[in-house]
Amino acid sequence: MMVGVHPLAGFDKLLHYKVPESVSDPIVVGSLVRVPIMNSFHLGIVGEIGAPKNFPLDKLKPIAQVLYPFPALPPDLLELARWMSSYYAAGLDSIIETMLPAAVRNGIGLKQDKYLSVVKRPSPEEYAALEKRAPQQVKLLRFLEQQFRPQKKSLVLARLGLTAAVSSALVKRGLVHEELRRVERIAYDDDVESGELVASQPHVLNAEQAAAVATVTAELAREKFGVSLLHGITGSGKTEVYLRAIDTALKSGGGVVFLVPEVALTPQTVARLRSRLEAIAPGHRCVVWHSHLSEGERLDGWLALATGEARVVVGARSAIFAPVRNLRLIVVDEEHEPAYKQDETPRYHGRDVAVMRAKLSQAICLLGSATPSLESFANAQAGKYQLIELRQRVDSRKLPHIDIVDLRIEALKQRTMPSLSRKLLDAMHARLERREQTILFINRRGYSSAMLCTKCGHTEECAHCSIAMTYHRADEMLRCHLCGDQKPAPLRCPKCGAPEIRWKGLGTQRVEETVRRMLPKARIERMDTDTMSKKNRFREVLSQFRAGKIDILIGTQMIGKGLDFPNVTLVGLIDADISMHIPDFRANERTFQLLVQVAGRAGRGDRAGEVVVQTFTPQAEAIQFSRHADYGGFAAAELKIRKDFNYPPYRHLIHHLFRGPNPEKLKFFAEQWAKLIEKELGDRVELRGPSASPIEKIKDEYRWQLWYFTNSVTKVVPEIARLRADFAWPDDITQVIDVDPVNLM
Ligand code: ADP
Ligand code: ZN
């Protein structure tokens, strides 16, 4: 037998090998094998069975080892890897490495031990005879007969006070089977926020939820590929719908992948899911996939899924590559989250990969959000996705009332740049007196590059691209980083003439100080990315907050995901504007999402909630639509702008970054390259640039960039990849291609 192997050795090629007789494990497409290349051994995935076309067969080397007795990449994952490689212009080897956890590739912690089980029960006469000659063997045999699963040899022998000779004798008689088995480490149990008590009782569905469940169940019953978009307002009980869908998929014998944006940030959701999932599928483990797992734990989880011992995995982005068998359902919660996009090679989008995997596996993909991405929403409108809506909060709880505070007026009143408006302070005060809780969100996105007039709320936009221009401090210029257009940064606001255009945002600390000064009696905690790196601290603060030991929680919007605290009746957003002025055509969408999600944290208990949003631009559409959580209105308005500028979702956007130590050389090659693309692919792509990147230099390396707009990634990216491979790049220039980037900064 001969096989073609994709080696994991830093290049993308299919190399052929022969399978020697000594290899007894079955080899199929997707098997993980060890193969010789030059003078060393590398891992590889079997990509095809068969002989090479133009290679002398007697020169083929033998493969050295098969790592697992089943395909490490089942057919649907291998197919997915090939699609990703071509869609994202990344080497197949790098995709395969992403799909297989390091622990799996290295076999780390693959702890095996000897296990015993009974294969044949002797007749009563045989038993009696054996009893006389070898009572110890009977003792062991009787013990093993009472067990449901194979028993660890060392433990059993120690417990019964027997030697290995006893078990060997039984093995010789053909009564007992001894085998090497993997030792299980059940480590997922208390890893995710153990301190929280979570209810595992199912809710009685309300009418909307029941209708949603019926729709998804019908989809699942078709056993064909389909995507459903569950658009449910915050607190509408989407999780319950997911759980029922998962229940159906499991009962029909299928497997499930459940993706959340960030496991570490959503411990509550994960804990809730796990307890329910394990109740739904008794005897089945729910594998939790997250970045804090040890290598051994990760391998165990992976093996449990690959062997079918576990059929459900919950995890962040990379859990989409879990080797779940007979995949029937993929749930992508908070599908609009930019966290689903990986910002290093391969730069894939977890949601888009989920849809593709569902397609390859003929499974159902269920995308859920209170604020769906416009990409998904447009697909639903076009009839490609099925739209399911939950318009009400459970138990008919009201959406919180949203107050918009105009910071321009506040600045005039307070005669200084305010971090907390009177309104927000009063509301916080009232909460303290009523022993209710407050969350304050601080928006951190890209504020150093924004230029915003605090008098009139004006920002400078590019005339050609409808995105905010970026302020470059070094040469005092404003630049558009889509088309490269530039002009001197104004000293005064071009609209109202005020000199306050250079305001730079409010820091987290300044807000915290103000709150402490104004409300000295309040118990306050601050959580942001810095403090969050300590996992336990994060949990601790959340438990304290839940227990009512903290009155006011201050944090960046990142921490707000999925938090469900019934005693929070006030949510304040300190600076709604920042995300609106990031130089990104998705700025409005991000702002709307932020406002709705943040507001959704208020009023989840019996008492109504209130939300105070501080802004310099109260008239902005993203803010006005969010007041009534009017997603439909917002989407219609925003999609029109996208259509006018022919931005995603109407076309795809691809970013090409060039890096190198010499700026002139970099510019020259970027321009030569752009000319080539224009000539070869001008009918399929529209180019913007090349121009200097918004951050022109990082660690002594200069950066240039080029944007491609296109209707079809699959007609363009493979061509770009081909041309790139043939282009005479100098050694000191490196480049990165990012397809469908979610972050234009
Ligand atoms: P979403 O994800 O849509 O914001 P959740 O799924 O977090 O909403 O549900 C919000 C709250 O409502 C949760 O505490 C959940 O347990 C509860 N809940 C969900 N469905 C029901 C129901 N049918 N009846 C009562 N409570 C429910
Ligand atoms: Zn521009």
Side-chain angles (χ1 to χ4, degrees), residues 700-716:
D700 289 326
E701 262 198 330
Y702 291 84
R703 300 152 65 89
W704 272 65
Q705 63 182 9
L706 180 60
W707 296 94
Y708 315 104
F709 285 83
T710 179
N711 288 320
S712 167
V713 169
T714 49
K715 285 199 189 115
V716 163

Side-chain angles (χ1 to χ4, degrees), residues 203-204 206 209 233-239 272 394 564 604:
H203 292 287
V204 177
N206 64 29
Q209 284 174 316
I233 64 169
T234 56
S236 59
K238 292 185 284 296
T239 313
R272 240 163 81 192
V394 293
D564 187 9
R604 291 174 82 92

